[in-house]
Amino acid sequence: MRKYETLFILEPSLDEEAVKAGVEKFKGVIENGGGTVDNVDAWGKRKLAYEIKKVNEGYYTLINFTADTELPKELDRVFRITDGVIRHLIIREEE
C-alpha cells in the first residue's frame, strides 16, 4: 500500500450539490477499489492560473489516500470519463 494524493478541478457552473456528489463519487472509487481515504480538503471556488476550455474558475478538491498500485489507474480512468472535471492530477507521495 502506497500513499497518494489527487487534486481535481470541477467546472464552476456546477451547483453545490453536484460538487459534493462529484467528491463523493471519487471517494467511492477509492474506497470500493480497496483504498482508504485519509483526508479530503475542499478548497472551494478559485481562479485558474490560465483559461482552460474558455473557463477561468473552478472548484478545487484535494484528496489524500492510501491504495495499491492499480487503484490510481482506475481513478484516472474515472476522472477522464466524468463530465464536469476540468483537470486532475494523481501523484505518489514520497516515503
Side-chain angles (χ1 to χ4, degrees):
M1 300 291 269
R2 294 184 172 161
K3 291 190 173 284
Y4 295 91
E5 69 179 25
T6 181
L7 178 70
F8 56 93
I9 307 170
L10 298 176
E11 291 182 354
S13 61
L14 299 174
D15 62 350
E16 197 67 31
E17 292 299 318
V19 171
K20 287 181 182 178
V23 172
E24 290 301 317
K25 175 182 180 177
F26 302 128
K27 281 175 52 179
V29 169
I30 293 168
E31 291 167 350
N32 293 337
T36 58
V37 175
D38 301 328
N39 184 32
V40 177
D41 191 10
W43 295 357
K45 194 175 198 180
R46 295 184 174 223
K47 186 170 172 54
L48 301 175
Y50 54 89
E51 192 173 283
I52 301 171
K53 299 179 189 173
K54 299 184 181 180
V55 175
N56 58 7
E57 285 186 326
Y59 288 101
Y60 284 69
T61 306
L62 175 72
I63 298 178
N64 298 79
F65 63 98
T66 306
D68 63 358
T69 57
E70 293 300 313
L71 184 64
K73 295 174 188 172
E74 174 63 17
L75 187 60
D76 183 55
R77 186 187 72 78
V78 173
F79 278 133
R80 290 179 189 275
I81 63 172
T82 303
D83 292 334
V85 176
I86 299 173
R87 284 282 194 272
H88 70 279
L89 178 68
I90 304 170
I91 61 168
R92 190 179 85 202
E93 294 181 0
E94 294 294 322
E95 297 290 329

